[in-house]
Amino acid sequence: MDRLLVYGGSPLRGVVAVASAKNAVLPILAATLLTEEPCTITNVPLLEDVSTMVRLLSSMGVSVARQGRRIAVAASDRVGKEAPYDIVRKMRASYYVLGPLLARFGEARVSLPGGCAIGPRPVDLHLKGIEALGARVRIEHGYIHARGRPLRGGTVLLEGPNGPSVGATANTMMAAVLARGTTVIDGAACEPEVTDLARFLTGMGANVEGAGTPTIRIRGVRRLRGVAHRPIPDRIEAGTLAVAAAITRGRVEISGCRPEQMTAVVDTLRATGADVEAGRKKLLVASEDRPLGVNISTRPYPGFPTDLQAQFTALLTTGRGTSVVTENIFESRFLHALELNRMGARIDINGNMAVIQGVERLSSAQVMASDLRASAALVLAALAARGQSEILRSYHLDRGYEQLERKLAALGARVKRVTG
Ligand code: EPU
């Protein structure tokens, strides 16, 4: 099993480019099921989750040709209608095939995802979305069986106790594009990845209005065509690299990102005292001092993203004074805190709040990655710690960061992967 060795203490300097957003690519790949015509996605990052989605589509009989960062997909009328447990348990985003399969074929069988390291991940809003379009849903033997032909437009509120759902908004949107009549999604997620999916669907000939706002209107069309698409840059990777610059007291230009989709993150970095210049498609982050303590509360977009909570928690462990980080989306997403404490951090978890007393310096340790963003947080902490740290189970990182260690090494970090 791969692990990362990180020798901390070098300030990062230089220019680094971000890849396309994992969380935009995954639903877009699933949306190619909506047409038999070929679709091409370019600039696709080389990530484990992308490979899992490709494996899922291939296992259903979809023709998928992957050449470097370009993926060509063609889903004939004869593709399978099932996402099996074996794949869904590895990647929850497999449930993105539910909406498109139902829309095009009138049926889908998708395994329920089961447990997850960041806490409960219910699917009730996904089911509410497709049921509002007339689908009949049965849960049997660990699988969601959905049927409905034709689907008919409906109005649905997709807000749950923790706000809108990105996945349920995407699934309902994909189900609605081929339904008869008009669908209105209220309480829709406004994340840029939802807007990018809408852009992809519109390119296929769908009629989607209001993506990026809490109300999305979709007028169903009879058929969709193939399209070529380049997904948006990854704001979470950009934010992770920004923290890498700040936590090492370095100076890094993050190119190819969209600062206008990262305003809460830029504001928070500035509040810690980092110098952040937001340019056109780039961010320049520099820091000379220990960060100031700040309070962070995760929120749906455009608020502070839960997917950067762990990385900012790592940054604040070296802060001056006390910080409070409140996690409002996935309340138990704090497994990284216990590992950070093994590196000398002082974090107390109280329900969905982490109270962080900043320390002058972290110390290196052997630590265990538990999920994707927690792994990133541990790498960041190790970059700032004295001595050599070892991050076990680093495969979690490969799900969502393309060769993070190489990008960091190019900026001057002393990091290497040990295989086996
Ligand atoms: N929720 C429900 N019912 C549902 C679905 C969600 O109550 O049917 C709740 C969740 O429990 C959570 C909140 O709604 O409290 C928001 O969850 P959401 O559905 O938005 O999350 P998701 O679609 O499953 C995506 C990203 C996550 C990211 C969240 C929030 C993908 C593939 N995943 O998950 O990304 O944290 O949105 O922004 O897009 C990651 O990349 O590390 C990651 C976990």
Side-chain angles (χ1 to χ4, degrees):
M1 218 179 267
D2 288 10
R3 60 215 152 89
L4 291 185
L5 298 182
V6 181
Y7 198 86
S10 317
L12 301 194
R13 291 187 193 285
V15 181
V16 62
V18 296
S20 291
K22 163 181 87 81
N23 290 347
V25 171
L26 296 175
I28 286 170
L29 280 172
T32 62
L33 285 166
L34 286 162
T35 178
E36 76 283 6
E37 290 187 17
C39 295
T40 309
I41 324 295
T42 55
N43 207 39
V44 179
L46 305 172
L47 302 173
E48 204 39 50
D49 274 8
V50 170
S51 301
T52 305
M53 184 57 92
V54 165
R55 218 174 305 131
L56 172 60
L57 294 175
S58 304
S59 79
M60 293 162 65
V62 176
S63 142
V64 188
R66 194 170 177 182
Q67 257 188 332
R69 294 172 193 285
R70 187 187 182 86
I71 301 187
V73 187
S76 77
D77 286 337
R78 292 180 307 280
V79 300
K81 319 289 184 297
E82 177 172 315
Y85 178 59
D86 201 38
I87 297 184
V88 180
R89 76 188 163 83
K90 293 201 182 91
M91 186 184 70
R92 312 179 61 79
S94 309
Y95 55 48
Y96 276 136
V97 300
L98 177 65
L101 283 177
L102 190 58
R104 181 157 157 216
F105 302 108
E107 61 171 309
R109 236 172 82 85
V110 177
S111 167
L112 282 167
C116 176
I118 65 177
R121 307 278 298 266
V123 292
D124 56 311
L125 296 172
H126 294 248
L127 303 187
K128 186 179 178 192
I130 58 171
E131 280 174 334
L133 305 180
R136 294 174 306 282
V137 176
R138 268 185 307 128
I139 309 267
E140 227 170 55
H141 308 301
Y143 278 76
I144 301 166
H145 299 248
R147 280 182 177 277
R149 192 166 208 160
L151 294 179
R152 292 178 196 280
T155 296
V156 63
L157 174 66
L158 286 186
E159 229 171 60
N162 298 341
S165 159
V166 173
T169 303
N171 245 335
T172 308
M173 212 158 71
M174 292 189 281
V177 285
L178 289 175
R180 288 196 188 157
T182 299
T183 298
V184 178
I185 304 176
D186 280 321
C190 300
E191 269 68 3
E193 293 75 18
V194 171
T195 312
D196 202 35
L197 173 64
R199 202 163 59 87
F200 179 76
L201 295 171
T202 307
M204 296 175 94
N207 197 313
V208 181
E209 276 171 22
T213 78
T215 302
I216 302 179
R217 288 178 84 83
I218 301 144
R219 202 151 40 79
V221 295
R222 291 186 85 85
R223 60 186 300 275
L224 294 170
R225 54 177 180 266
V227 68
H229 186 85
R230 180 187 168 103
I232 53 168
D234 196 322
R235 62 198 167 96
I236 307 301
E237 186 195 16
T240 304
L241 293 165
V243 174
I247 204 168
T248 61
R249 324 273 150 82
R251 184 181 175 80
V252 174
E253 180 181 312
I254 300 153
S255 68
C257 63
R258 300 249 182 105
E260 70 277 15
Q261 295 176 348
M262 300 175 62
T263 46
V265 175
V266 168
D267 286 358
T268 307
L269 266 176
R270 284 187 178 140
T272 67
D275 193 10
V276 186
E277 262 178 57
R280 218 181 94 74
K281 298 198 177 170
K282 67 178 181 197
L283 269 183
L284 184 66
V285 181
S287 170
E288 287 178 359
D289 275 322
R290 282 176 68 186
L292 303 171
V294 297
N295 295 339
I296 296 178
S297 222
T298 63
R299 302 251 179 252
Y301 188 83
F304 188 93
T306 173
D307 290 344
L308 282 171
Q309 178 263 107
Q311 299 88 320
F312 272 74
T313 298
L315 174 65
L316 296 173
T317 60
T318 62
R320 269 180 280 164
T322 305
S323 303
V324 179
V325 174
T326 309
E327 174 54 66
N328 294 304
I329 312 294
F330 298 112
E331 289 113 354
S332 47
R333 197 175 200 179
F334 277 126
L335 285 178
H336 47 280
L338 299 172
E339 295 298 295
L340 290 171
N341 282 351
R342 298 189 54 255
M343 300 179 76
R346 288 176 55 203
I347 309 174
D348 280 318
I349 302 296
N350 196 340
N352 69 334
M353 273 197 305
V355 180
I356 306 164
Q357 311 287 347
V359 296
E360 171 114 30
R361 187 119 213 186
L362 296 172
S363 72
S364 57
Q366 252 193 337
V367 284
M368 178 90 85
S370 55
D371 73 79
L372 168 59
R373 308 302 173 188
S375 319
L378 296 178
V379 173
L380 294 169
L383 289 174
R386 206 190 297 270
Q388 181 177 283
S389 295
E390 191 175 344
I391 294 134
L392 307 175
R393 299 203 180 158
S394 60
Y395 59 83
H396 286 293
L397 211 56
D398 302 332
R399 293 190 54 180
Y401 292 95
E402 183 182 313
Q403 302 197 324
L404 184 63
E405 77 275 12
R406 284 211 190 164
K407 289 191 179 180
L408 295 173
L411 296 171
R414 285 178 285 171
V415 45
K416 95 173 171 204
R417 179 181 292 251
V418 180
T419 305

